[in-house]
Amino acid sequence: DTGVSQDPRHKITKRGQNVTFRCDPISEHNRLYWYRQTLGQGPEFLTYFQNEAQLEKSRLLSDRFSAERPKGSFSTLEIQRTEQGDSAMYLCASSRGLAGGPSDTQYFGPGTRLTVL
Amino acid sequence: GNSVTQMEGPVTLSEEAFLTINCTYTATGYPSLFWYVQYPGEGLQLLLKATKADDKGSNKGFEATYRKETTSFHLEKGSVQVSDSAVYFCALSEYSGGYQKVTFGTGTKLQVIP
């Protein structure tokens, strides 16, 4: 496994600007998750894809957030009109999607740290 | 809803000391339990997991046993090293609404001093 990769690793932007993050999951994994992690907290679920279908979105995902996974491979997370409260680490994870369901292991990328000035 | 409670950190230990990080959970069903580790500036790495009651997960000298009767999954290591300094997250996973829903604790920072 080459691991989950994310780009960029760091992003500094001004309030009101749009930003887009990319996640490349492990190649044979059909499930992809986005999380947000703020300082001193654990990751909080944002959204979930199975192949190219976005099947679940958290209430944390406001209308300014949109995620895509167009060909069931890489995924993008876009934040429009960024606010200072969006400053956080955005983590992507992927999993193989085992029949065992809850025992499936999610493999995390290094994250994109967003700072909104 | 589901929740995970971890002991608050930071935890500071001398090298070769014994480590325990407490984790308890609340779940509506029968979850799988995980410990993840996060080194500075990096994402989360799976440390170990357990999928049913009385299972013991182990990796790199770390162990945790799934205790259904006490709803606990405490992390232990007999002799810590400086390289173990990191933030440790306890998590539970259930299959809900067609996807694997993972709930994380707030993390416990471990600092090991030489």
Side-chain angles (χ1 to χ4, degrees):
Chain A
D1 290 339
T2 55
V4 178
S5 61
Q6 292 187 245
D7 185 68
R9 294 291 304 275
H10 304 273
K11 179 70 177 178
I12 300 174
T13 191
K14 293 182 179 179
R15 187 163 50 99
Q17 298 294 304
N18 299 344
V19 294
T20 300
F21 311 140
R22 177 181 169 122
C23 169
D24 287 90
I26 295 171
S27 59
E28 65 268 27
H29 287 184
N30 63 3
R31 301 188 179 202
L32 187 146
Y33 304 79
W34 284 98
Y35 292 85
R36 182 172 70 186
Q37 185 182 19
T38 53
L39 200 62
Q41 299 298 315
E44 295 175 291
F45 169 78
L46 291 178
T47 190
Y48 158 67
F49 289 85
Q50 183 168 329
N51 299 310
E52 67 276 8
Q54 186 175 20
L55 298 183
E56 186 71 21
K57 292 194 288 187
S58 161
R59 288 171 297 175
L60 292 175
L61 214 65
S62 76
D63 291 345
R64 298 184 296 105
F65 288 70
S66 63
E68 294 183 340
R69 192 182 183 197
K71 296 182 180 179
S73 57
F74 72 92
S75 175
T76 58
L77 178 68
E78 181 183 16
I79 309 174
Q80 297 183 326
R81 305 181 303 282
T82 52
E83 301 173 356
Q84 289 183 326
D86 297 331
S87 295
M89 175 81 88
Y90 289 85
L91 294 166
C92 175
S94 70
S95 70
R96 193 182 298 271
L98 297 174
S103 64
D104 202 11
T105 297
Q106 293 187 16
Y107 295 85
F108 283 79
T112 295
R113 181 167 296 283
L114 173 66
T115 302
V116 181
L117 301 176
Chain B
N2 296 343
S3 66
V4 175
T5 303
Q6 290 182 235
M7 63 186 288
E8 295 215 4
V11 174
T12 302
L13 295 173
S14 298
E15 205 165 22
E16 299 183 1
F18 184 85
L19 168 71
T20 300
I21 300 179
N22 290 338
C23 171
T24 57
Y25 68 90
T26 302
T28 53
Y30 200 171
S32 293
L33 301 174
F34 299 79
W35 277 100
Y36 281 87
V37 58
Q38 186 174 35
Y39 297 100
E42 298 184 12
L44 278 69
Q45 301 176 24
L46 176 69
L47 183 59
L48 53 85
K49 71 179 184 182
T51 60
K52 61 183 186 297
D54 300 324
D55 262 4
K56 178 185 283 187
S58 61
N59 186 28
K60 300 181 181 178
F62 291 90
E63 293 182 341
T65 301
Y66 190 142
R67 300 289 187 201
K68 190 169 186 293
E69 65 276 12
T70 55
T71 61
S72 65
F73 193 53
H74 305 319
L75 182 68
E76 296 182 335
K77 187 176 185 183
S79 176
V80 294
Q81 306 300 312
V82 172
S83 57
D84 295 327
S85 298
V87 181
Y88 292 81
F89 292 92
C90 185
L92 71 83
S93 165
E94 282 193 311
Y95 210 68
S96 172
Y99 78 103
Q100 183 195 22
K101 182 175 181 181
V102 181
T103 304
F104 288 88
T106 54
T108 302
K109 184 175 183 179
L110 170 65
Q111 183 177 13
V112 180
I113 54 178

